[in-house]
PDB file of all heavy atoms in Angstrom:
ATOM      1  N   ARG A  10     -10.148  60.240  31.449  1.00 81.00           N
ATOM      2  CA  ARG A  10      -9.553  60.305  30.109  1.00 81.00           C
ATOM      3  C   ARG A  10      -8.298  61.030  30.104  1.00 81.00           C
ATOM      4  O   ARG A  10      -7.366  60.724  29.175  1.00 81.00           O
ATOM      5  CB  ARG A  10     -10.479  60.967  29.069  1.00 81.00           C
ATOM      6  CG  ARG A  10     -11.630  59.945  28.775  1.00 81.00           C
ATOM      7  CD  ARG A  10     -12.873  60.684  28.246  1.00 81.00           C
ATOM      8  NE  ARG A  10     -13.999  59.749  28.161  1.00 81.00           N
ATOM      9  CZ  ARG A  10     -14.290  59.103  27.026  1.00 81.00           C
ATOM     10  NH1 ARG A  10     -13.659  59.340  25.880  1.00 81.00           N
ATOM     11  NH2 ARG A  10     -15.264  58.217  27.061  1.00 81.00           N
ATOM     12  N   TYR A  19       2.778  57.900  26.817  1.00 92.00           N
ATOM     13  CA  TYR A  19       4.058  57.281  27.327  1.00 92.00           C
ATOM     14  C   TYR A  19       4.261  55.883  26.657  1.00 92.00           C
ATOM     15  O   TYR A  19       5.269  55.648  26.217  1.00 92.00           O
ATOM     16  CB  TYR A  19       4.013  57.212  28.828  1.00 92.00           C
ATOM     17  CG  TYR A  19       5.398  56.653  29.370  1.00 92.00           C
ATOM     18  CD1 TYR A  19       6.427  57.565  29.483  1.00 92.00           C
ATOM     19  CD2 TYR A  19       5.450  55.356  29.630  1.00 92.00           C
ATOM     20  CE1 TYR A  19       7.661  57.082  29.927  1.00 92.00           C
ATOM     21  CE2 TYR A  19       6.768  54.896  30.077  1.00 92.00           C
ATOM     22  CZ  TYR A  19       7.774  55.731  30.304  1.00 92.00           C
ATOM     23  OH  TYR A  19       8.989  55.214  30.698  1.00 92.00           O
ATOM     24  N   PRO A  22       3.794  54.653  21.919  1.00 97.00           N
ATOM     25  CA  PRO A  22       4.882  54.558  21.014  1.00 97.00           C
ATOM     26  C   PRO A  22       5.890  53.434  21.370  1.00 97.00           C
ATOM     27  O   PRO A  22       6.508  52.906  20.485  1.00 97.00           O
ATOM     28  CB  PRO A  22       5.539  55.942  21.185  1.00 97.00           C
ATOM     29  CG  PRO A  22       4.454  56.780  21.781  1.00 97.00           C
ATOM     30  CD  PRO A  22       3.678  55.905  22.653  1.00 97.00           C
ATOM     31  N   ARG A  23       6.016  53.167  22.589  1.00 97.00           N
ATOM     32  CA  ARG A  23       6.996  52.007  23.009  1.00 97.00           C
ATOM     33  C   ARG A  23       6.378  50.731  22.630  1.00 97.00           C
ATOM     34  O   ARG A  23       7.004  49.781  22.121  1.00 97.00           O
ATOM     35  CB  ARG A  23       7.154  52.095  24.518  1.00 97.00           C
ATOM     36  CG  ARG A  23       8.029  53.192  24.996  1.00 97.00           C
ATOM     37  CD  ARG A  23       8.138  53.252  26.448  1.00 97.00           C
ATOM     38  NE  ARG A  23       9.226  54.164  26.919  1.00 97.00           N
ATOM     39  CZ  ARG A  23       9.208  55.516  26.910  1.00 97.00           C
ATOM     40  NH1 ARG A  23       7.967  56.138  26.657  1.00 97.00           N
ATOM     41  NH2 ARG A  23      10.118  56.261  27.288  1.00 97.00           N
ATOM     42  N   ALA A  26       6.674  50.231  18.873  1.00 97.00           N
ATOM     43  CA  ALA A  26       8.144  49.964  18.507  1.00 97.00           C
ATOM     44  C   ALA A  26       8.402  48.507  18.899  1.00 97.00           C
ATOM     45  O   ALA A  26       9.034  47.708  18.147  1.00 97.00           O
ATOM     46  CB  ALA A  26       9.107  50.820  19.340  1.00 97.00           C
ATOM     47  N   GLU A  39       0.442  49.338  14.376  1.00 97.00           N
ATOM     48  CA  GLU A  39      -0.296  50.543  14.824  1.00 97.00           C
ATOM     49  C   GLU A  39      -1.735  49.986  15.332  1.00 97.00           C
ATOM     50  O   GLU A  39      -2.215  50.439  16.392  1.00 97.00           O
ATOM     51  CB  GLU A  39      -0.584  51.370  13.565  1.00 97.00           C
ATOM     52  CG  GLU A  39      -1.605  52.505  13.762  1.00 97.00           C
ATOM     53  CD  GLU A  39      -1.052  53.789  14.301  1.00 97.00           C
ATOM     54  OE1 GLU A  39       0.267  53.940  14.173  1.00 97.00           O
ATOM     55  OE2 GLU A  39      -1.820  54.482  14.979  1.00 97.00           O
ATOM     56  N   GLU A  44      -5.473  48.511  19.918  1.00 95.00           N
ATOM     57  CA  GLU A  44      -6.229  47.447  20.644  1.00 95.00           C
ATOM     58  C   GLU A  44      -5.659  47.246  22.005  1.00 95.00           C
ATOM     59  O   GLU A  44      -6.379  47.002  23.002  1.00 95.00           O
ATOM     60  CB  GLU A  44      -6.117  46.171  19.866  1.00 95.00           C
ATOM     61  CG  GLU A  44      -6.860  46.147  18.526  1.00 95.00           C
ATOM     62  CD  GLU A  44      -8.301  46.477  18.667  1.00 95.00           C
ATOM     63  OE1 GLU A  44      -8.962  46.131  19.641  1.00 95.00           O
ATOM     64  OE2 GLU A  44      -8.817  47.092  17.622  1.00 95.00           O
ATOM     65  N   SER A  64       4.283  48.772  33.369  1.00 88.00           N
ATOM     66  CA  SER A  64       4.939  48.382  32.063  1.00 88.00           C
ATOM     67  C   SER A  64       4.825  46.831  31.874  1.00 88.00           C
ATOM     68  O   SER A  64       4.613  46.400  30.778  1.00 88.00           O
ATOM     69  CB  SER A  64       6.423  48.817  32.010  1.00 88.00           C
ATOM     70  OG  SER A  64       7.206  48.235  33.022  1.00 88.00           O
ATOM     71  N   TYR A  68       2.918  45.195  28.911  1.00 93.00           N
ATOM     72  CA  TYR A  68       3.638  44.280  28.170  1.00 93.00           C
ATOM     73  C   TYR A  68       2.822  42.928  27.843  1.00 93.00           C
ATOM     74  O   TYR A  68       2.798  42.488  26.730  1.00 93.00           O
ATOM     75  CB  TYR A  68       4.960  43.895  28.722  1.00 93.00           C
ATOM     76  CG  TYR A  68       5.569  42.628  28.151  1.00 93.00           C
ATOM     77  CD1 TYR A  68       6.123  42.648  26.907  1.00 93.00           C
ATOM     78  CD2 TYR A  68       5.447  41.386  28.825  1.00 93.00           C
ATOM     79  CE1 TYR A  68       6.567  41.474  26.293  1.00 93.00           C
ATOM     80  CE2 TYR A  68       5.865  40.315  28.211  1.00 93.00           C
ATOM     81  CZ  TYR A  68       6.375  40.225  27.011  1.00 93.00           C
ATOM     82  OH  TYR A  68       6.782  39.127  26.377  1.00 93.00           O
ATOM     83  N   ARG A  72       1.522  41.582  24.313  1.00 94.00           N
ATOM     84  CA  ARG A  72       1.872  40.238  23.849  1.00 94.00           C
ATOM     85  C   ARG A  72       0.642  39.395  23.494  1.00 94.00           C
ATOM     86  O   ARG A  72       0.651  38.787  22.372  1.00 94.00           O
ATOM     87  CB  ARG A  72       2.688  39.426  24.901  1.00 94.00           C
ATOM     88  CG  ARG A  72       2.968  38.101  24.673  1.00 94.00           C
ATOM     89  CD  ARG A  72       3.378  37.279  25.857  1.00 94.00           C
ATOM     90  NE  ARG A  72       2.221  37.213  26.754  1.00 94.00           N
ATOM     91  CZ  ARG A  72       2.307  36.989  28.106  1.00 94.00           C
ATOM     92  NH1 ARG A  72       3.432  36.617  28.529  1.00 94.00           N
ATOM     93  NH2 ARG A  72       1.180  36.959  28.804  1.00 94.00           N
ATOM     94  N   ASP A  77      -3.226  36.970  19.615  1.00 87.00           N
ATOM     95  CA  ASP A  77      -4.605  36.892  19.073  1.00 87.00           C
ATOM     96  C   ASP A  77      -4.698  37.347  17.635  1.00 87.00           C
ATOM     97  O   ASP A  77      -5.367  36.683  16.811  1.00 87.00           O
ATOM     98  CB  ASP A  77      -5.473  37.956  19.884  1.00 87.00           C
ATOM     99  CG  ASP A  77      -5.991  37.323  21.124  1.00 87.00           C
ATOM    100  OD1 ASP A  77      -5.609  36.268  21.542  1.00 87.00           O
ATOM    101  OD2 ASP A  77      -6.933  37.999  21.681  1.00 87.00           O
ATOM    102  N   GLN A  83      -4.976  33.677  10.712  1.00 72.00           N
ATOM    103  CA  GLN A  83      -4.923  32.283  10.173  1.00 72.00           C
ATOM    104  C   GLN A  83      -6.336  31.630  10.190  1.00 72.00           C
ATOM    105  O   GLN A  83      -6.634  30.700   9.399  1.00 72.00           O
ATOM    106  CB  GLN A  83      -4.026  31.442  11.067  1.00 72.00           C
ATOM    107  CG  GLN A  83      -2.559  31.434  10.675  1.00 72.00           C
ATOM    108  CD  GLN A  83      -1.857  30.171  11.117  1.00 72.00           C
ATOM    109  OE1 GLN A  83      -2.539  29.190  11.361  1.00 72.00           O
ATOM    110  NE2 GLN A  83      -0.613  30.230  11.335  1.00 72.00           N
ATOM    111  N   THR A  84      -7.191  32.129  11.034  1.00 66.00           N
ATOM    112  CA  THR A  84      -8.507  31.549  11.088  1.00 66.00           C
ATOM    113  C   THR A  84      -9.409  32.241  10.043  1.00 66.00           C
ATOM    114  O   THR A  84      -9.782  33.365  10.222  1.00 66.00           O
ATOM    115  CB  THR A  84      -9.171  31.754  12.461  1.00 66.00           C
ATOM    116  OG1 THR A  84      -8.147  31.410  13.469  1.00 66.00           O
ATOM    117  CG2 THR A  84     -10.364  30.895  12.672  1.00 66.00           C
ATOM    118  N   GLU A  98      -5.141  35.356  28.735  1.00 43.00           N
ATOM    119  CA  GLU A  98      -5.281  36.420  29.618  1.00 43.00           C
ATOM    120  C   GLU A  98      -4.011  36.626  30.453  1.00 43.00           C
ATOM    121  O   GLU A  98      -3.334  35.709  30.810  1.00 43.00           O
ATOM    122  CB  GLU A  98      -6.520  36.245  30.644  1.00 43.00           C
ATOM    123  CG  GLU A  98      -7.822  36.351  29.991  1.00 43.00           C
ATOM    124  CD  GLU A  98      -7.978  37.665  29.312  1.00 43.00           C
ATOM    125  OE1 GLU A  98      -7.822  38.712  29.980  1.00 43.00           O
ATOM    126  OE2 GLU A  98      -8.194  37.721  28.068  1.00 43.00           O
ATOM    127  N   ASP A 113       9.422  43.380  39.655  1.00 89.00           N
ATOM    128  CA  ASP A 113       9.999  44.274  38.547  1.00 89.00           C
ATOM    129  C   ASP A 113      11.363  44.883  39.086  1.00 89.00           C
ATOM    130  O   ASP A 113      12.308  44.919  38.375  1.00 89.00           O
ATOM    131  CB  ASP A 113       9.078  45.427  38.268  1.00 89.00           C
ATOM    132  CG  ASP A 113       8.037  44.980  37.162  1.00 89.00           C
ATOM    133  OD1 ASP A 113       7.998  43.786  36.872  1.00 89.00           O
ATOM    134  OD2 ASP A 113       7.247  45.829  36.696  1.00 89.00           O
ATOM    135  N   LYS A 156      23.200  27.790  21.884  1.00 88.00           N
ATOM    136  CA  LYS A 156      22.290  27.205  22.808  1.00 88.00           C
ATOM    137  C   LYS A 156      22.839  27.139  24.179  1.00 88.00           C
ATOM    138  O   LYS A 156      22.235  27.516  25.195  1.00 88.00           O
ATOM    139  CB  LYS A 156      21.939  25.765  22.382  1.00 88.00           C
ATOM    140  CG  LYS A 156      20.702  25.251  22.967  1.00 88.00           C
ATOM    141  CD  LYS A 156      20.143  24.018  22.278  1.00 88.00           C
ATOM    142  CE  LYS A 156      20.750  22.758  23.095  1.00 88.00           C
ATOM    143  NZ  LYS A 156      20.309  21.484  22.427  1.00 88.00           N
ATOM    144  N   ARG A 167      18.809  33.540  36.650  1.00 92.00           N
ATOM    145  CA  ARG A 167      18.114  32.850  37.745  1.00 92.00           C
ATOM    146  C   ARG A 167      18.908  32.968  39.047  1.00 92.00           C
ATOM    147  O   ARG A 167      18.241  33.150  40.063  1.00 92.00           O
ATOM    148  CB  ARG A 167      18.039  31.191  37.315  1.00 92.00           C
ATOM    149  CG  ARG A 167      17.282  30.480  38.325  1.00 92.00           C
ATOM    150  CD  ARG A 167      17.317  28.955  37.891  1.00 92.00           C
ATOM    151  NE  ARG A 167      16.248  28.659  36.778  1.00 92.00           N
ATOM    152  CZ  ARG A 167      15.259  27.840  37.145  1.00 92.00           C
ATOM    153  NH1 ARG A 167      15.159  27.228  38.308  1.00 92.00           N
ATOM    154  NH2 ARG A 167      14.307  27.579  36.172  1.00 92.00           N
ATOM    155  N   ASP A 172      16.751  32.396  42.741  1.00 71.00           N
ATOM    156  CA  ASP A 172      15.971  31.165  42.605  1.00 71.00           C
ATOM    157  C   ASP A 172      16.880  29.886  42.659  1.00 71.00           C
ATOM    158  O   ASP A 172      17.991  30.012  42.113  1.00 71.00           O
ATOM    159  CB  ASP A 172      15.109  31.092  41.326  1.00 71.00           C
ATOM    160  CG  ASP A 172      14.076  32.163  41.352  1.00 71.00           C
ATOM    161  OD1 ASP A 172      13.811  32.693  42.430  1.00 71.00           O
ATOM    162  OD2 ASP A 172      13.634  32.461  40.318  1.00 71.00           O
TER     163      ASP A 172
ATOM    164  N   ASP B   9      14.449  26.944  31.000  1.00 94.00           N
ATOM    165  CA  ASP B   9      14.218  28.409  31.055  1.00 94.00           C
ATOM    166  C   ASP B   9      14.064  28.975  29.674  1.00 94.00           C
ATOM    167  O   ASP B   9      13.330  29.990  29.548  1.00 94.00           O
ATOM    168  CB  ASP B   9      15.445  29.111  31.705  1.00 94.00           C
ATOM    169  CG  ASP B   9      15.347  29.065  33.308  1.00 94.00           C
ATOM    170  OD1 ASP B   9      14.213  28.580  33.752  1.00 94.00           O
ATOM    171  OD2 ASP B   9      16.276  29.448  34.015  1.00 94.00           O
ATOM    172  N   ALA B  16       6.792  33.299  27.690  1.00 95.00           N
ATOM    173  CA  ALA B  16       6.558  34.610  28.213  1.00 95.00           C
ATOM    174  C   ALA B  16       6.613  35.662  27.151  1.00 95.00           C
ATOM    175  O   ALA B  16       6.003  36.666  27.168  1.00 95.00           O
ATOM    176  CB  ALA B  16       7.543  34.898  29.436  1.00 95.00           C
ATOM    177  N   ALA B  17       7.516  35.406  26.177  1.00 94.00           N
ATOM    178  CA  ALA B  17       7.732  36.365  25.134  1.00 94.00           C
ATOM    179  C   ALA B  17       6.655  36.276  24.055  1.00 94.00           C
ATOM    180  O   ALA B  17       6.506  37.096  23.164  1.00 94.00           O
ATOM    181  CB  ALA B  17       9.067  36.193  24.424  1.00 94.00           C
ATOM    182  N   ARG B  41       8.441  31.856  37.389  1.00 94.00           N
ATOM    183  CA  ARG B  41       9.419  32.156  36.458  1.00 94.00           C
ATOM    184  C   ARG B  41       8.906  32.879  35.168  1.00 94.00           C
ATOM    185  O   ARG B  41       9.480  33.876  34.687  1.00 94.00           O
ATOM    186  CB  ARG B  41      10.050  30.765  35.949  1.00 94.00           C
ATOM    187  CG  ARG B  41      11.288  30.836  35.186  1.00 94.00           C
ATOM    188  CD  ARG B  41      12.379  30.025  35.692  1.00 94.00           C
ATOM    189  NE  ARG B  41      12.970  30.605  36.775  1.00 94.00           N
ATOM    190  CZ  ARG B  41      14.093  31.440  36.821  1.00 94.00           C
ATOM    191  NH1 ARG B  41      14.633  31.556  35.592  1.00 94.00           N
ATOM    192  NH2 ARG B  41      14.474  31.915  37.832  1.00 94.00           N
ATOM    193  N   GLU B  44       8.564  36.349  36.176  1.00 93.00           N
ATOM    194  CA  GLU B  44       9.839  37.083  36.172  1.00 93.00           C
ATOM    195  C   GLU B  44      10.174  37.465  34.643  1.00 93.00           C
ATOM    196  O   GLU B  44      10.714  38.625  34.382  1.00 93.00           O
ATOM    197  CB  GLU B  44      11.047  36.200  36.636  1.00 93.00           C
ATOM    198  CG  GLU B  44      10.863  36.100  38.175  1.00 93.00           C
ATOM    199  CD  GLU B  44      11.813  34.970  38.843  1.00 93.00           C
ATOM    200  OE1 GLU B  44      12.468  34.311  38.009  1.00 93.00           O
ATOM    201  OE2 GLU B  44      11.765  34.849  40.040  1.00 93.00           O
ATOM    202  N   GLU B  46       8.094  38.026  32.311  1.00 94.00           N
ATOM    203  CA  GLU B  46       7.159  38.993  31.938  1.00 94.00           C
ATOM    204  C   GLU B  46       7.686  40.390  32.417  1.00 94.00           C
ATOM    205  O   GLU B  46       7.674  41.411  31.775  1.00 94.00           O
ATOM    206  CB  GLU B  46       5.766  38.813  32.395  1.00 94.00           C
ATOM    207  CG  GLU B  46       5.090  37.662  31.590  1.00 94.00           C
ATOM    208  CD  GLU B  46       3.707  37.251  32.128  1.00 94.00           C
ATOM    209  OE1 GLU B  46       3.440  37.513  33.355  1.00 94.00           O
ATOM    210  OE2 GLU B  46       2.899  36.712  31.347  1.00 94.00           O
ATOM    211  N   SER B  47       8.337  40.317  33.606  1.00 93.00           N
ATOM    212  CA  SER B  47       8.951  41.578  34.134  1.00 93.00           C
ATOM    213  C   SER B  47      10.086  42.054  33.208  1.00 93.00           C
ATOM    214  O   SER B  47      10.283  43.203  33.043  1.00 93.00           O
ATOM    215  CB  SER B  47       9.467  41.400  35.528  1.00 93.00           C
ATOM    216  OG  SER B  47       8.327  41.265  36.504  1.00 93.00           O
ATOM    217  N   GLU B  54       9.823  49.230  28.417  1.00 92.00           N
ATOM    218  CA  GLU B  54      10.140  50.503  28.973  1.00 92.00           C
ATOM    219  C   GLU B  54      11.301  51.132  28.232  1.00 92.00           C
ATOM    220  O   GLU B  54      11.345  52.356  28.062  1.00 92.00           O
ATOM    221  CB  GLU B  54      10.421  50.415  30.426  1.00 92.00           C
ATOM    222  CG  GLU B  54      10.424  51.697  31.151  1.00 92.00           C
ATOM    223  CD  GLU B  54       9.232  51.896  31.977  1.00 92.00           C
ATOM    224  OE1 GLU B  54       8.581  50.970  32.449  1.00 92.00           O
ATOM    225  OE2 GLU B  54       8.847  53.130  32.112  1.00 92.00           O
ATOM    226  N   PRO B  57      12.861  52.433  21.966  1.00 95.00           N
ATOM    227  CA  PRO B  57      12.804  53.770  21.271  1.00 95.00           C
ATOM    228  C   PRO B  57      11.399  53.995  20.885  1.00 95.00           C
ATOM    229  O   PRO B  57      10.517  53.120  20.924  1.00 95.00           O
ATOM    230  CB  PRO B  57      13.678  53.557  20.072  1.00 95.00           C
ATOM    231  CG  PRO B  57      13.703  52.107  19.793  1.00 95.00           C
ATOM    232  CD  PRO B  57      13.578  51.396  21.147  1.00 95.00           C
ATOM    233  N   GLU B  59       8.186  54.797  18.593  1.00 97.00           N
ATOM    234  CA  GLU B  59       7.737  54.714  17.297  1.00 97.00           C
ATOM    235  C   GLU B  59       6.441  55.485  17.172  1.00 97.00           C
ATOM    236  O   GLU B  59       5.336  55.036  17.778  1.00 97.00           O
ATOM    237  CB  GLU B  59       7.515  53.320  16.887  1.00 97.00           C
ATOM    238  CG  GLU B  59       7.055  53.021  15.447  1.00 97.00           C
ATOM    239  CD  GLU B  59       8.125  53.360  14.397  1.00 97.00           C
ATOM    240  OE1 GLU B  59       9.300  53.145  14.686  1.00 97.00           O
ATOM    241  OE2 GLU B  59       7.743  54.015  13.459  1.00 97.00           O
ATOM    242  N   PRO B  60       6.456  56.718  16.631  1.00 97.00           N
ATOM    243  CA  PRO B  60       5.217  57.489  16.633  1.00 97.00           C
ATOM    244  C   PRO B  60       3.994  56.837  16.068  1.00 97.00           C
ATOM    245  O   PRO B  60       4.087  56.126  15.081  1.00 97.00           O
ATOM    246  CB  PRO B  60       5.630  58.832  15.853  1.00 97.00           C
ATOM    247  CG  PRO B  60       6.894  58.450  15.227  1.00 97.00           C
ATOM    248  CD  PRO B  60       7.549  57.243  15.834  1.00 97.00           C
ATOM    249  N   LYS B  62       0.038  57.029  14.421  1.00 96.00           N
ATOM    250  CA  LYS B  62      -0.637  57.928  13.491  1.00 96.00           C
ATOM    251  C   LYS B  62      -1.231  59.131  14.288  1.00 96.00           C
ATOM    252  O   LYS B  62      -1.624  58.991  15.407  1.00 96.00           O
ATOM    253  CB  LYS B  62      -1.742  57.215  12.635  1.00 96.00           C
ATOM    254  CG  LYS B  62      -1.233  56.186  11.729  1.00 96.00           C
ATOM    255  CD  LYS B  62      -2.324  55.583  10.888  1.00 96.00           C
ATOM    256  CE  LYS B  62      -1.688  54.597   9.897  1.00 96.00           C
ATOM    257  NZ  LYS B  62      -2.538  53.514   9.549  1.00 96.00           N
ATOM    258  N   ARG B  72     -13.490  55.134  21.152  1.00 91.00           N
ATOM    259  CA  ARG B  72     -13.997  53.832  21.332  1.00 91.00           C
ATOM    260  C   ARG B  72     -14.021  53.397  22.829  1.00 91.00           C
ATOM    261  O   ARG B  72     -14.534  52.264  23.119  1.00 91.00           O
ATOM    262  CB  ARG B  72     -13.055  52.767  20.559  1.00 91.00           C
ATOM    263  CG  ARG B  72     -13.120  52.868  19.053  1.00 91.00           C
ATOM    264  CD  ARG B  72     -12.048  52.154  18.442  1.00 91.00           C
ATOM    265  NE  ARG B  72     -12.170  50.647  18.592  1.00 91.00           N
ATOM    266  CZ  ARG B  72     -11.124  49.879  18.401  1.00 91.00           C
ATOM    267  NH1 ARG B  72      -9.995  50.269  17.996  1.00 91.00           N
ATOM    268  NH2 ARG B  72     -11.289  48.578  18.635  1.00 91.00           N
ATOM    269  N   ASP B  74     -15.955  54.172  25.168  1.00 83.00           N
ATOM    270  CA  ASP B  74     -17.186  53.829  25.857  1.00 83.00           C
ATOM    271  C   ASP B  74     -18.002  52.738  25.213  1.00 83.00           C
ATOM    272  O   ASP B  74     -19.092  52.311  25.672  1.00 83.00           O
ATOM    273  CB  ASP B  74     -18.102  55.113  25.926  1.00 83.00           C
ATOM    274  CG  ASP B  74     -17.487  56.249  26.791  1.00 83.00           C
ATOM    275  OD1 ASP B  74     -16.841  55.770  27.797  1.00 83.00           O
ATOM    276  OD2 ASP B  74     -17.604  57.389  26.558  1.00 83.00           O
ATOM    277  N   SER B  79     -16.900  41.201  21.882  1.00 54.00           N
ATOM    278  CA  SER B  79     -17.594  40.144  22.581  1.00 54.00           C
ATOM    279  C   SER B  79     -16.644  39.304  23.480  1.00 54.00           C
ATOM    280  O   SER B  79     -15.620  38.870  23.078  1.00 54.00           O
ATOM    281  CB  SER B  79     -18.278  39.193  21.555  1.00 54.00           C
ATOM    282  OG  SER B  79     -17.253  38.454  20.890  1.00 54.00           O
ATOM    283  N   ARG B  81     -14.866  36.395  25.255  1.00 51.00           N
ATOM    284  CA  ARG B  81     -14.473  35.215  24.628  1.00 51.00           C
ATOM    285  C   ARG B  81     -15.087  33.978  25.349  1.00 51.00           C
ATOM    286  O   ARG B  81     -14.968  33.881  26.502  1.00 51.00           O
ATOM    287  CB  ARG B  81     -12.951  35.035  24.649  1.00 51.00           C
ATOM    288  CG  ARG B  81     -12.340  36.133  23.793  1.00 51.00           C
ATOM    289  CD  ARG B  81     -11.094  36.618  24.681  1.00 51.00           C
ATOM    290  NE  ARG B  81     -10.393  37.602  23.792  1.00 51.00           N
ATOM    291  CZ  ARG B  81      -9.308  38.214  24.165  1.00 51.00           C
ATOM    292  NH1 ARG B  81      -8.863  37.987  25.395  1.00 51.00           N
ATOM    293  NH2 ARG B  81      -8.727  39.008  23.439  1.00 51.00           N
ATOM    294  N   GLY B 125      -7.205  28.113  14.656  1.00 81.00           N
ATOM    295  CA  GLY B 125      -6.305  29.188  14.189  1.00 81.00           C
ATOM    296  C   GLY B 125      -4.794  28.853  14.046  1.00 81.00           C
ATOM    297  O   GLY B 125      -3.974  29.580  13.654  1.00 81.00           O
ATOM    298  N   ASP B 176      15.164  17.322  23.361  1.00 80.00           N
ATOM    299  CA  ASP B 176      15.594  18.027  22.115  1.00 80.00           C
ATOM    300  C   ASP B 176      16.386  17.089  21.338  1.00 80.00           C
ATOM    301  O   ASP B 176      16.578  15.971  21.613  1.00 80.00           O
ATOM    302  CB  ASP B 176      16.072  19.463  22.385  1.00 80.00           C
ATOM    303  CG  ASP B 176      17.456  19.340  23.133  1.00 80.00           C
ATOM    304  OD1 ASP B 176      18.017  18.249  23.135  1.00 80.00           O
ATOM    305  OD2 ASP B 176      17.956  20.391  23.534  1.00 80.00           O
ATOM    306  N   ASP B 178      19.333  16.469  21.137  1.00 74.00           N
ATOM    307  CA  ASP B 178      20.403  15.723  21.848  1.00 74.00           C
ATOM    308  C   ASP B 178      19.962  14.491  22.514  1.00 74.00           C
ATOM    309  O   ASP B 178      20.835  13.646  23.000  1.00 74.00           O
ATOM    310  CB  ASP B 178      21.138  16.635  22.865  1.00 74.00           C
ATOM    311  CG  ASP B 178      21.612  17.901  22.228  1.00 74.00           C
ATOM    312  OD1 ASP B 178      22.016  18.013  21.102  1.00 74.00           O
ATOM    313  OD2 ASP B 178      21.615  18.914  23.029  1.00 74.00           O
TER     314      ASP B 178
END
Side-chain angles (χ1 to χ4, degrees):
Chain A
R10 285 158 189 264
Y19 184 81
R23 288 175 167 82
E39 171 86 25
E44 294 300 328
S64 60
Y68 161 74
R72 172 200 61 197
D77 273 13
Q83 271 205 28
T84 314
E98 285 306 300
D113 274 6
K156 203 167 95 181
R167 186 181 275 245
D172 292 343
Chain B
D9 274 357
R41 190 128 284 264
E44 287 168 359
E46 286 175 337
S47 287
E54 192 102 33
E59 182 66 40
K62 292 187 178 149
R72 294 167 64 196
D74 293 330
S79 69
R81 293 137 177 182
D176 69 11
D178 306 327

